[in-house]
Amino acid sequence: MTGVKAPLQQAVAQALEALGVDEPLPIEIQETPPNQPGDYGTPVAFRLTRLLRKAPPQIAAELAEKMRPPEGVVRVEVAGGYVNFFLDPAWLTPAALQPVAPAPKQGGKVLVEHTSVNPNKELHVGHLRNVALGDAIARILDFAGREVEVLNYIDDTGRQSAESLFALEHYGLVYDGSKKYDHWVGEAYVRLHREMKDEEAKARLEPAIRAVLHRLEAGELRDEIEKLLVAQLETMWGLNAEYDVLVWESDIVREGLLQRALALLEQTPYVSRPTEGKYAGALVMDTSAFIEGMEDPYLVLLRSDGTATYTAKDIAFQFWKMGLLSGLRFRPFTRQPSGRELYTSHPEGEPMPFGGAQETINVIDVRQSYPQQVLRAALEAAGRHDLAEGAYHLAYETVLLEGRPLSGRKGHTVSVDEVLEEAVRRARVVIAEKNPGLQNADAVARMVGIGAVRFAMVKTEPKKQIDFRWEQALSFEGDAAPYLQYAHARAASILRKAEAEGLADDEPDFSRATPYEVELAKALLRFEESVQKSAELKTPHVLAQYLLDLAAAWNAYYNAKEDGKPATPVLTAEEGLRGLRLALVAQVKRTVATGLELLGIAAPEAM
């Protein structure tokens, strides 16, 4: 923790030491509520009541007496059991103007896997949350000082892909370019599932579907899957999400990682091949030592016919991600819109330093919690408790569509492409009403529309379900991205006017700071802490809420009144105070833009 809180923490720690408290204690430094004295305070005295056998107010008084206030603190007072600090505004406001910059890199790679959509049809609105959460947390972790690798897993040997490719063949379909390729294939997939509602038809088609599945497993249809994948990637890029590497399931199997993972587990006491009972002839893992409360703790890895389960493949993949296995080869796949190279696993590639992470974050919905527990159990069984501790499931609740669950097979979906098109269309309408003369209106509408959709997916705590409704998701008021983007654009407008009027070089006089500047400065100083908290909790909703709070603080500052007159004019303020206010406006602009970027959202200069 840096900024103003770190020296306050250190001063409290020294006062505790002077009191003879040598037990390590968490020292919280909090902003004091508006109706309480001071700028910051600590409740640490409440944690010491049992240890010191004194009341919190007495402990707080003794702490204040022992305190050696750091630079910037003009006085220390006791309020009940709290020790409160009063800061010099001339010291606090420049502290809030320090550069908004990423934290220094620390050791240890974290691998974030997200999206991982079956390559069989277009992405639907239920996938939005996965992409938005995964991309945002990867950006946040990178800014917070982690070495981040972003991975998208391609399940090219799954039944869904086999069904889509079979449907094209079964109906004799030839792509005519009339619509996006993944949408075209998706229609065939839904059509096939309607036909297979008839049990007789399903039984008749099953052998042919399995034949396509075997061809997929043999790698014969990779080019067909690539065509689907490229169409899906266009959607992901439209959401401002990019990746470092694609890993194909067929490569996991082809390079022998599955066999090596099973051989490694078979050496442990938790994996066996029963000779009798319902698991006779299968390779099973006993998870009872690692997963509590299971009625049947035995998990099949290889069926009695020798075929691997999905779970076995997932374990092999997790072992590769965390460095227990190696052997995949890679080559460039494509250049992404930002210019960032995207790599892919490939039998004809070269060894590259992907995988081998100390920590993994698997972004997948809460319904997959048990399979994710199994991955950690497999790491424990392999004797790697450290890696099991580092395997994190970023579980999120599902997305309903107007109150109804989504089903790709039944065709009850709204595609991500449709959502983005509708969002941009609505943004254009709003912009035309509010600012009909806006230059680059189409580009701004895209920023606003996509930002609205992404923010709707990350502003809510992941464990809470989202009911996706057009009215709410695309609202341009309240707790939505356009509210934040407008806060940024308002700050940009003030700075442009200052430049045009020759006022931009006015030097700030920090001694002129009023309580209004102090409150805005304190809001700005919370940015770093919110990023670190989001990184620690592995959820972007903390940062999203901070940005809403900052925008509210900025709007309150901008609209402040005294005796019915503006209390915080910027361009018409006296020299020195004007410089200070311009510096704070510029910092608001930088902070909002940086925060939005960490959520994968653009910040327009004008709206």
Side-chain angles (χ1 to χ4, degrees), residues 334-375:
T334 191
R335 187 76 64 175
Q336 300 174 97
S338 70
R340 177 178 176 183
E341 188 81 72
L342 175 62
Y343 291 86
T344 182
S345 64
H346 198 280
E348 298 173 8
E350 301 292 334
M352 296 185 72
F354 292 115
Q358 289 71 44
E359 183 181 353
T360 58
I361 298 174
N362 294 341
V363 184
I364 191 165
D365 75 57
V366 71
R367 293 172 296 185
Q368 298 299 314
S369 293
Y370 172 66
Q372 293 297 308
Q373 284 182 294
V374 168
L375 297 185

mmCIF file of all heavy atoms in Angstrom, residues 334-375:
data_model
loop_
_atom_site.group_PDB
_atom_site.id
_atom_site.type_symbol
_atom_site.label_atom_id
_atom_site.label_comp_id
_atom_site.label_asym_id
_atom_site.label_seq_id
_atom_site.Cartn_x
_atom_site.Cartn_y
_atom_site.Cartn_z
ATOM 1 N N THR A 334 -2.358 -15.620 -35.439
ATOM 2 C CA THR A 334 -2.805 -14.414 -36.129
ATOM 3 C C THR A 334 -2.376 -13.193 -35.333
ATOM 4 O O THR A 334 -2.001 -13.292 -34.163
ATOM 5 C CB THR A 334 -4.341 -14.419 -36.319
ATOM 6 O OG1 THR A 334 -4.720 -13.370 -37.207
ATOM 7 C CG2 THR A 334 -5.064 -14.213 -34.982
ATOM 8 N N ARG A 335 -2.427 -12.052 -35.973
ATOM 9 C CA ARG A 335 -2.181 -10.777 -35.306
ATOM 10 C C ARG A 335 -3.538 -10.200 -34.907
ATOM 11 O O ARG A 335 -4.435 -10.076 -35.734
ATOM 12 C CB ARG A 335 -1.448 -9.824 -36.246
ATOM 13 C CG ARG A 335 -0.993 -8.536 -35.625
ATOM 14 C CD ARG A 335 0.214 -8.689 -34.754
ATOM 15 N NE ARG A 335 1.403 -9.104 -35.463
ATOM 16 C CZ ARG A 335 2.605 -9.224 -34.930
ATOM 17 N NH1 ARG A 335 2.751 -8.948 -33.631
ATOM 18 N NH2 ARG A 335 3.640 -9.621 -35.619
ATOM 19 N N GLN A 336 -3.701 -9.819 -33.632
ATOM 20 C CA GLN A 336 -4.958 -9.321 -33.122
ATOM 21 C C GLN A 336 -5.095 -7.819 -33.381
ATOM 22 O O GLN A 336 -4.119 -7.169 -33.745
ATOM 23 C CB GLN A 336 -5.065 -9.665 -31.629
ATOM 24 C CG GLN A 336 -5.004 -11.188 -31.401
ATOM 25 C CD GLN A 336 -4.972 -11.580 -29.942
ATOM 26 O OE1 GLN A 336 -5.998 -11.901 -29.366
ATOM 27 N NE2 GLN A 336 -3.796 -11.586 -29.340
ATOM 28 N N PRO A 337 -6.306 -7.263 -33.209
ATOM 29 C CA PRO A 337 -6.516 -5.851 -33.571
ATOM 30 C C PRO A 337 -5.532 -4.879 -32.944
ATOM 31 O O PRO A 337 -5.174 -3.872 -33.567
ATOM 32 C CB PRO A 337 -7.949 -5.589 -33.084
ATOM 33 C CG PRO A 337 -8.622 -6.911 -33.210
ATOM 34 C CD PRO A 337 -7.578 -7.915 -32.828
ATOM 35 N N SER A 338 -5.075 -5.134 -31.713
ATOM 36 C CA SER A 338 -4.138 -4.219 -31.061
ATOM 37 C C SER A 338 -2.723 -4.367 -31.602
ATOM 38 O O SER A 338 -1.843 -3.574 -31.262
ATOM 39 C CB SER A 338 -4.114 -4.489 -29.555
ATOM 40 O OG SER A 338 -3.493 -5.742 -29.289
ATOM 41 N N GLY A 339 -2.480 -5.383 -32.431
ATOM 42 C CA GLY A 339 -1.141 -5.705 -32.884
ATOM 43 C C GLY A 339 -0.489 -6.819 -32.081
ATOM 44 O O GLY A 339 0.591 -7.293 -32.413
ATOM 45 N N ARG A 340 -1.149 -7.244 -31.016
ATOM 46 C CA ARG A 340 -0.636 -8.310 -30.162
ATOM 47 C C ARG A 340 -0.709 -9.652 -30.899
ATOM 48 O O ARG A 340 -1.730 -10.012 -31.473
ATOM 49 C CB ARG A 340 -1.498 -8.337 -28.899
ATOM 50 C CG ARG A 340 -1.222 -9.390 -27.861
ATOM 51 C CD ARG A 340 -2.209 -9.125 -26.729
ATOM 52 N NE ARG A 340 -2.186 -10.083 -25.652
ATOM 53 C CZ ARG A 340 -3.009 -10.050 -24.603
ATOM 54 N NH1 ARG A 340 -3.914 -9.071 -24.517
ATOM 55 N NH2 ARG A 340 -2.941 -10.945 -23.644
ATOM 56 N N GLU A 341 0.390 -10.391 -30.875
ATOM 57 C CA GLU A 341 0.451 -11.690 -31.541
ATOM 58 C C GLU A 341 -0.328 -12.725 -30.744
ATOM 59 O O GLU A 341 -0.236 -12.788 -29.523
ATOM 60 C CB GLU A 341 1.906 -12.143 -31.665
ATOM 61 C CG GLU A 341 2.098 -13.393 -32.510
ATOM 62 C CD GLU A 341 2.095 -13.118 -34.001
ATOM 63 O OE1 GLU A 341 3.075 -12.536 -34.506
ATOM 64 O OE2 GLU A 341 1.101 -13.482 -34.657
ATOM 65 N N LEU A 342 -1.109 -13.528 -31.442
ATOM 66 C CA LEU A 342 -1.808 -14.650 -30.829
ATOM 67 C C LEU A 342 -1.149 -15.937 -31.289
ATOM 68 O O LEU A 342 -1.006 -16.162 -32.492
ATOM 69 C CB LEU A 342 -3.285 -14.640 -31.218
ATOM 70 C CG LEU A 342 -4.126 -15.831 -30.740
ATOM 71 C CD1 LEU A 342 -4.163 -15.902 -29.213
ATOM 72 C CD2 LEU A 342 -5.549 -15.753 -31.300
ATOM 73 N N TYR A 343 -0.753 -16.770 -30.338
ATOM 74 C CA TYR A 343 -0.105 -18.044 -30.651
ATOM 75 C C TYR A 343 -1.095 -19.185 -30.451
ATOM 76 O O TYR A 343 -2.098 -19.046 -29.758
ATOM 77 C CB TYR A 343 1.121 -18.249 -29.756
ATOM 78 C CG TYR A 343 2.250 -17.301 -30.063
ATOM 79 C CD1 TYR A 343 2.293 -16.030 -29.480
ATOM 80 C CD2 TYR A 343 3.261 -17.645 -30.960
ATOM 81 C CE1 TYR A 343 3.317 -15.145 -29.774
ATOM 82 C CE2 TYR A 343 4.293 -16.763 -31.253
ATOM 83 C CZ TYR A 343 4.318 -15.511 -30.657
ATOM 84 O OH TYR A 343 5.326 -14.641 -30.960
ATOM 85 N N THR A 344 -0.777 -20.311 -31.060
ATOM 86 C CA THR A 344 -1.619 -21.494 -30.913
ATOM 87 C C THR A 344 -0.759 -22.732 -30.754
ATOM 88 O O THR A 344 0.350 -22.808 -31.324
ATOM 89 C CB THR A 344 -2.547 -21.669 -32.135
ATOM 90 O OG1 THR A 344 -3.378 -22.814 -31.933
ATOM 91 C CG2 THR A 344 -1.753 -21.882 -33.416
ATOM 92 N N SER A 345 -1.250 -23.701 -29.985
ATOM 93 C CA SER A 345 -0.579 -24.996 -29.971
ATOM 94 C C SER A 345 -0.771 -25.634 -31.342
ATOM 95 O O SER A 345 -1.794 -25.433 -31.998
ATOM 96 C CB SER A 345 -1.158 -25.886 -28.871
ATOM 97 O OG SER A 345 -2.522 -26.188 -29.117
ATOM 98 N N HIS A 346 0.240 -26.404 -31.768
ATOM 99 C CA HIS A 346 0.163 -27.013 -33.100
ATOM 100 C C HIS A 346 1.210 -28.115 -33.202
ATOM 101 O O HIS A 346 2.344 -27.947 -32.723
ATOM 102 C CB HIS A 346 0.397 -25.974 -34.198
ATOM 103 C CG HIS A 346 -0.083 -26.407 -35.541
ATOM 104 N ND1 HIS A 346 0.645 -27.261 -36.347
ATOM 105 C CD2 HIS A 346 -1.233 -26.128 -36.220
ATOM 106 C CE1 HIS A 346 -0.025 -27.474 -37.473
ATOM 107 N NE2 HIS A 346 -1.173 -26.802 -37.416
ATOM 108 N N PRO A 347 0.848 -29.250 -33.836
ATOM 109 C CA PRO A 347 1.821 -30.350 -33.951
ATOM 110 C C PRO A 347 3.094 -29.965 -34.680
ATOM 111 O O PRO A 347 4.148 -30.573 -34.458
ATOM 112 C CB PRO A 347 1.043 -31.422 -34.739
ATOM 113 C CG PRO A 347 -0.397 -31.079 -34.566
ATOM 114 C CD PRO A 347 -0.461 -29.598 -34.413
ATOM 115 N N GLU A 348 3.028 -28.945 -35.554
ATOM 116 C CA GLU A 348 4.208 -28.538 -36.325
ATOM 117 C C GLU A 348 4.867 -27.283 -35.756
ATOM 118 O O GLU A 348 5.684 -26.650 -36.421
ATOM 119 C CB GLU A 348 3.801 -28.299 -37.786
ATOM 120 C CG GLU A 348 3.253 -29.552 -38.461
ATOM 121 C CD GLU A 348 2.690 -29.264 -39.840
ATOM 122 O OE1 GLU A 348 2.866 -28.122 -40.321
ATOM 123 O OE2 GLU A 348 2.060 -30.164 -40.428
ATOM 124 N N GLY A 349 4.522 -26.936 -34.513
ATOM 125 C CA GLY A 349 5.091 -25.741 -33.897
ATOM 126 C C GLY A 349 6.431 -26.002 -33.238
ATOM 127 O O GLY A 349 7.063 -27.041 -33.431
ATOM 128 N N GLU A 350 6.847 -25.029 -32.418
ATOM 129 C CA GLU A 350 8.111 -25.094 -31.695
ATOM 130 C C GLU A 350 7.842 -24.964 -30.198
ATOM 131 O O GLU A 350 6.844 -24.356 -29.795
ATOM 132 C CB GLU A 350 9.043 -23.955 -32.133
ATOM 133 C CG GLU A 350 9.392 -23.948 -33.614
ATOM 134 C CD GLU A 350 10.263 -25.125 -34.001
ATOM 135 O OE1 GLU A 350 10.990 -25.643 -33.109
ATOM 136 O OE2 GLU A 350 10.221 -25.532 -35.179
ATOM 137 N N PRO A 351 8.731 -25.503 -29.360
ATOM 138 C CA PRO A 351 8.570 -25.300 -27.905
ATOM 139 C C PRO A 351 8.622 -23.813 -27.574
ATOM 140 O O PRO A 351 9.468 -23.083 -28.087
ATOM 141 C CB PRO A 351 9.769 -26.047 -27.308
ATOM 142 C CG PRO A 351 10.171 -27.029 -28.360
ATOM 143 C CD PRO A 351 9.888 -26.369 -29.667
ATOM 144 N N MET A 352 7.704 -23.358 -26.728
ATOM 145 C CA MET A 352 7.665 -21.964 -26.294
ATOM 146 C C MET A 352 7.287 -21.932 -24.820
ATOM 147 O O MET A 352 6.675 -22.879 -24.314
ATOM 148 C CB MET A 352 6.662 -21.151 -27.134
ATOM 149 C CG MET A 352 7.042 -21.039 -28.601
ATOM 150 S SD MET A 352 5.914 -19.953 -29.540
ATOM 151 C CE MET A 352 6.385 -18.356 -28.904
ATOM 152 N N PRO A 353 7.646 -20.859 -24.109
ATOM 153 C CA PRO A 353 7.462 -20.830 -22.638
ATOM 154 C C PRO A 353 6.044 -20.510 -22.184
ATOM 155 O O PRO A 353 5.835 -19.668 -21.311
ATOM 156 C CB PRO A 353 8.446 -19.745 -22.189
ATOM 157 C CG PRO A 353 8.499 -18.797 -23.346
ATOM 158 C CD PRO A 353 8.378 -19.671 -24.578
ATOM 159 N N PHE A 354 5.054 -21.168 -22.774
ATOM 160 C CA PHE A 354 3.691 -21.015 -22.289
ATOM 161 C C PHE A 354 3.436 -22.058 -21.206
ATOM 162 O O PHE A 354 4.083 -23.100 -21.151
ATOM 163 C CB PHE A 354 2.683 -21.181 -23.430
ATOM 164 C CG PHE A 354 2.718 -20.074 -24.438
ATOM 165 C CD1 PHE A 354 3.099 -20.308 -25.751
ATOM 166 C CD2 PHE A 354 2.370 -18.785 -24.073
ATOM 167 C CE1 PHE A 354 3.139 -19.286 -26.688
ATOM 168 C CE2 PHE A 354 2.404 -17.745 -25.003
ATOM 169 C CZ PHE A 354 2.795 -17.997 -26.308
ATOM 170 N N GLY A 355 2.444 -21.784 -20.341
ATOM 171 C CA GLY A 355 2.148 -22.697 -19.243
ATOM 172 C C GLY A 355 3.174 -22.554 -18.136
ATOM 173 O O GLY A 355 3.896 -21.557 -18.045
ATOM 174 N N GLY A 356 3.235 -23.566 -17.267
ATOM 175 C CA GLY A 356 4.201 -23.537 -16.172
ATOM 176 C C GLY A 356 3.935 -22.437 -15.170
ATOM 177 O O GLY A 356 4.867 -21.826 -14.644
ATOM 178 N N ALA A 357 2.649 -22.180 -14.878
ATOM 179 C CA ALA A 357 2.283 -21.092 -13.963
ATOM 180 C C ALA A 357 2.226 -21.587 -12.522
ATOM 181 O O ALA A 357 1.895 -22.748 -12.262
ATOM 182 C CB ALA A 357 0.933 -20.501 -14.363
ATOM 183 N N GLN A 358 2.545 -20.696 -11.592
ATOM 184 C CA GLN A 358 2.423 -21.013 -10.169
ATOM 185 C C GLN A 358 0.978 -20.852 -9.694
ATOM 186 O O GLN A 358 0.580 -21.403 -8.678
ATOM 187 C CB GLN A 358 3.335 -20.104 -9.328
ATOM 188 C CG GLN A 358 4.815 -20.410 -9.464
ATOM 189 C CD GLN A 358 5.373 -20.001 -10.818
ATOM 190 O OE1 GLN A 358 5.073 -18.910 -11.319
ATOM 191 N NE2 GLN A 358 6.153 -20.861 -11.423
ATOM 192 N N GLU A 359 0.212 -20.084 -10.463
ATOM 193 C CA GLU A 359 -1.180 -19.821 -10.099
ATOM 194 C C GLU A 359 -2.020 -19.823 -11.361
ATOM 195 O O GLU A 359 -1.589 -19.310 -12.400
ATOM 196 C CB GLU A 359 -1.290 -18.461 -9.401
ATOM 197 C CG GLU A 359 -2.678 -18.115 -8.915
ATOM 198 C CD GLU A 359 -2.732 -16.745 -8.254
ATOM 199 O OE1 GLU A 359 -1.671 -16.130 -8.052
ATOM 200 O OE2 GLU A 359 -3.855 -16.309 -7.942
ATOM 201 N N THR A 360 -3.195 -20.443 -11.283
ATOM 202 C CA THR A 360 -4.111 -20.420 -12.418
ATOM 203 C C THR A 360 -5.464 -19.897 -11.958
ATOM 204 O O THR A 360 -5.890 -20.131 -10.830
ATOM 205 C CB THR A 360 -4.306 -21.823 -13.027
ATOM 206 O OG1 THR A 360 -4.802 -22.716 -12.035
ATOM 207 C CG2 THR A 360 -3.016 -22.364 -13.609
ATOM 208 N N ILE A 361 -6.124 -19.181 -12.866
ATOM 209 C CA ILE A 361 -7.487 -18.714 -12.631
ATOM 210 C C ILE A 361 -8.332 -19.241 -13.774
ATOM 211 O O ILE A 361 -8.148 -18.842 -14.927
ATOM 212 C CB ILE A 361 -7.555 -17.180 -12.564
ATOM 213 C CG1 ILE A 361 -6.706 -16.662 -11.401
ATOM 214 C CG2 ILE A 361 -8.998 -16.715 -12.417
ATOM 215 C CD1 ILE A 361 -6.600 -15.154 -11.335
ATOM 216 N N ASN A 362 -9.218 -20.163 -13.451
ATOM 217 C CA ASN A 362 -10.120 -20.723 -14.449
ATOM 218 C C ASN A 362 -11.464 -20.017 -14.328
ATOM 219 O O ASN A 362 -12.156 -20.152 -13.316
ATOM 220 C CB ASN A 362 -10.298 -22.228 -14.234
ATOM 221 C CG ASN A 362 -9.003 -23.005 -14.480
ATOM 222 O OD1 ASN A 362 -8.087 -22.512 -15.120
ATOM 223 N ND2 ASN A 362 -8.943 -24.213 -13.963
ATOM 224 N N VAL A 363 -11.817 -19.258 -15.352
ATOM 225 C CA VAL A 363 -13.070 -18.514 -15.348
ATOM 226 C C VAL A 363 -14.137 -19.407 -15.974
ATOM 227 O O VAL A 363 -14.119 -19.663 -17.183
ATOM 228 C CB VAL A 363 -12.949 -17.193 -16.124
ATOM 229 C CG1 VAL A 363 -14.248 -16.383 -16.016
ATOM 230 C CG2 VAL A 363 -11.760 -16.380 -15.630
ATOM 231 N N ILE A 364 -15.023 -19.916 -15.146
ATOM 232 C CA ILE A 364 -16.063 -20.821 -15.629
ATOM 233 C C ILE A 364 -17.226 -20.769 -14.643
ATOM 234 O O ILE A 364 -17.025 -20.498 -13.457
ATOM 235 C CB ILE A 364 -15.501 -22.252 -15.790
ATOM 236 C CG1 ILE A 364 -16.481 -23.149 -16.532
ATOM 237 C CG2 ILE A 364 -15.122 -22.852 -14.446
ATOM 238 C CD1 ILE A 364 -15.845 -24.446 -17.032
ATOM 239 N N ASP A 365 -18.432 -21.021 -15.133
ATOM 240 C CA ASP A 365 -19.589 -20.746 -14.287
ATOM 241 C C ASP A 365 -19.679 -21.702 -13.097
ATOM 242 O O ASP A 365 -19.026 -22.737 -13.051
ATOM 243 C CB ASP A 365 -20.882 -20.696 -15.101
ATOM 244 C CG ASP A 365 -21.402 -22.051 -15.534
ATOM 245 O OD1 ASP A 365 -21.640 -22.898 -14.664
ATOM 246 O OD2 ASP A 365 -21.593 -22.249 -16.746
ATOM 247 N N VAL A 366 -20.488 -21.316 -12.147
ATOM 248 C CA VAL A 366 -20.554 -21.984 -10.854
ATOM 249 C C VAL A 366 -21.025 -23.426 -10.978
ATOM 250 O O VAL A 366 -20.732 -24.263 -10.115
ATOM 251 C CB VAL A 366 -21.467 -21.182 -9.897
ATOM 252 C CG1 VAL A 366 -22.924 -21.290 -10.317
ATOM 253 C CG2 VAL A 366 -21.280 -21.602 -8.460
ATOM 254 N N ARG A 367 -21.705 -23.758 -12.073
ATOM 255 C CA ARG A 367 -22.168 -25.131 -12.269
ATOM 256 C C ARG A 367 -21.015 -26.107 -12.473
ATOM 257 O O ARG A 367 -21.193 -27.311 -12.377
ATOM 258 C CB ARG A 367 -23.137 -25.190 -13.462
ATOM 259 C CG ARG A 367 -24.447 -24.450 -13.230
ATOM 260 C CD ARG A 367 -25.281 -24.366 -14.480
ATOM 261 N NE ARG A 367 -24.626 -23.575 -15.520
ATOM 262 C CZ ARG A 367 -25.202 -23.266 -16.682
ATOM 263 N NH1 ARG A 367 -26.446 -23.657 -16.928
ATOM 264 N NH2 ARG A 367 -24.552 -22.550 -17.582
ATOM 265 N N GLN A 368 -19.830 -25.566 -12.751
ATOM 266 C CA GLN A 368 -18.639 -26.399 -12.947
ATOM 267 C C GLN A 368 -17.776 -26.459 -11.688
ATOM 268 O O GLN A 368 -16.596 -26.787 -11.754
ATOM 269 C CB GLN A 368 -17.814 -25.848 -14.115
ATOM 270 C CG GLN A 368 -18.538 -25.867 -15.448
ATOM 271 C CD GLN A 368 -18.909 -27.271 -15.869
ATOM 272 O OE1 GLN A 368 -18.095 -28.183 -15.801
ATOM 273 N NE2 GLN A 368 -20.153 -27.451 -16.305
ATOM 274 N N SER A 369 -18.365 -26.164 -10.547
ATOM 275 C CA SER A 369 -17.584 -26.137 -9.303
ATOM 276 C C SER A 369 -17.008 -27.508 -8.951
ATOM 277 O O SER A 369 -15.853 -27.610 -8.524
ATOM 278 C CB SER A 369 -18.448 -25.618 -8.145
ATOM 279 O OG SER A 369 -18.775 -24.261 -8.339
ATOM 280 N N TYR A 370 -17.802 -28.563 -9.134
ATOM 281 C CA TYR A 370 -17.276 -29.895 -8.794
ATOM 282 C C TYR A 370 -16.105 -30.287 -9.691
ATOM 283 O O TYR A 370 -15.058 -30.715 -9.180
ATOM 284 C CB TYR A 370 -18.372 -30.949 -8.854
ATOM 285 C CG TYR A 370 -17.827 -32.356 -8.688
ATOM 286 C CD1 TYR A 370 -17.243 -32.760 -7.481
ATOM 287 C CD2 TYR A 370 -17.871 -33.266 -9.734
ATOM 288 C CE1 TYR A 370 -16.713 -34.035 -7.336
ATOM 289 C CE2 TYR A 370 -17.350 -34.547 -9.588
ATOM 290 C CZ TYR A 370 -16.774 -34.926 -8.401
ATOM 291 O OH TYR A 370 -16.248 -36.177 -8.257
ATOM 292 N N PRO A 371 -16.200 -30.173 -11.029
ATOM 293 C CA PRO A 371 -15.029 -30.471 -11.858
ATOM 294 C C PRO A 371 -13.793 -29.657 -11.476
ATOM 295 O O PRO A 371 -12.666 -30.152 -11.566
ATOM 296 C CB PRO A 371 -15.501 -30.129 -13.275
ATOM 297 C CG PRO A 371 -16.978 -30.333 -13.229
ATOM 298 C CD PRO A 371 -17.382 -29.884 -11.856
ATOM 299 N N GLN A 372 -13.993 -28.413 -11.046
ATOM 300 C CA GLN A 372 -12.854 -27.604 -10.621
ATOM 301 C C GLN A 372 -12.264 -28.125 -9.306
ATOM 302 O O GLN A 372 -11.049 -28.083 -9.107
ATOM 303 C CB GLN A 372 -13.271 -26.141 -10.481
ATOM 304 C CG GLN A 372 -13.626 -25.470 -11.805
ATOM 305 C CD GLN A 372 -12.458 -25.403 -12.768
ATOM 306 O OE1 GLN A 372 -11.373 -24.929 -12.423
ATOM 307 N NE2 GLN A 372 -12.660 -25.893 -13.976
ATOM 308 N N GLN A 373 -13.115 -28.638 -8.429
ATOM 309 C CA GLN A 373 -12.617 -29.283 -7.209
ATOM 310 C C GLN A 373 -11.790 -30.516 -7.564
ATOM 311 O O GLN A 373 -10.775 -30.804 -6.926
ATOM 312 C CB GLN A 373 -13.786 -29.697 -6.314
ATOM 313 C CG GLN A 373 -14.445 -28.575 -5.553
ATOM 314 C CD GLN A 373 -15.558 -29.102 -4.656
ATOM 315 O OE1 GLN A 373 -16.572 -29.611 -5.134
ATOM 316 N NE2 GLN A 373 -15.367 -29.005 -3.361
ATOM 317 N N VAL A 374 -12.228 -31.230 -8.574
ATOM 318 C CA VAL A 374 -11.515 -32.433 -9.004
ATOM 319 C C VAL A 374 -10.110 -32.080 -9.491
ATOM 320 O O VAL A 374 -9.152 -32.813 -9.219
ATOM 321 C CB VAL A 374 -12.313 -33.164 -10.096
ATOM 322 C CG1 VAL A 374 -11.459 -34.235 -10.769
ATOM 323 C CG2 VAL A 374 -13.573 -33.779 -9.511
ATOM 324 N N LEU A 375 -9.973 -30.979 -10.206
ATOM 325 C CA LEU A 375 -8.646 -30.568 -10.681
ATOM 326 C C LEU A 375 -7.703 -30.332 -9.501
ATOM 327 O O LEU A 375 -6.536 -30.743 -9.531
ATOM 328 C CB LEU A 375 -8.748 -29.296 -11.529
ATOM 329 C CG LEU A 375 -9.547 -29.386 -12.829
ATOM 330 C CD1 LEU A 375 -9.438 -28.080 -13.596
ATOM 331 C CD2 LEU A 375 -9.067 -30.547 -13.687
#
